[in-house]
Amino acid sequence: MAWFILVLAGLFETGWAVGLKASDGFTKLWPSVWTAVSMTISVVLLGIAMKTLPLGTAYAVWTGIGAVGAVILGIVMFGEPAGAARLLSVLLIVAGIVGLRLTAPS
């Protein structure tokens, strides 16, 4: 269950990153509200997952999910570049997340 909660936390991490971009420096109300709510949910879920999971594993996976999600949504929603080196770098982050999951203590 802790891994499921951690993945949700990572998805909300992505949500607040996208919201932060959409808020235009907190000058737009609803994206700013979404950002604050997503940040809160993300950190609370991370804290719950850390009751069971090791600190380094949980934090690295959380930030990795957020980073991968932010890059993908940046490409899709904001037209950011999707070059081969950039996508390879994202795949390396995913490999790191998978590696941490596979080597985490049960």
Side-chain angles (χ1 to χ4, degrees):
M1 189 61 160
W3 282 99
F4 176 74
I5 292 169
L6 183 59
V7 169
L8 282 178
L11 294 174
F12 277 99
E13 170 88 352
T14 300
W16 76 253
V18 172
L20 190 61
K21 174 75 171 174
S23 77
D24 198 25
F26 292 107
T27 60
K28 297 178 180 172
L29 177 63
W30 292 114
S32 298
V33 169
W34 169 255
T35 300
V37 170
S38 293
M39 282 179 170
T40 302
I41 292 170
S42 181
V43 171
V44 167
L45 291 174
L46 175 63
I48 292 168
M50 281 184 167
K51 287 181 179 182
T52 307
L53 300 174
L55 165 69
T57 300
Y59 186 76
V61 169
W62 178 66
T63 57
I65 292 169
V68 169
V71 170
I72 291 168
L73 291 178
I75 291 167
V76 172
M77 295 175 66
F78 302 107
E80 295 176 359
R86 197 159 191 241
L87 296 177
L88 176 61
S89 298
V90 169
L91 285 175
L92 290 171
I93 295 170
V94 171
I97 292 168
V98 170
L100 287 170
R101 172 60 182 110
L102 294 175
T103 60
S106 302

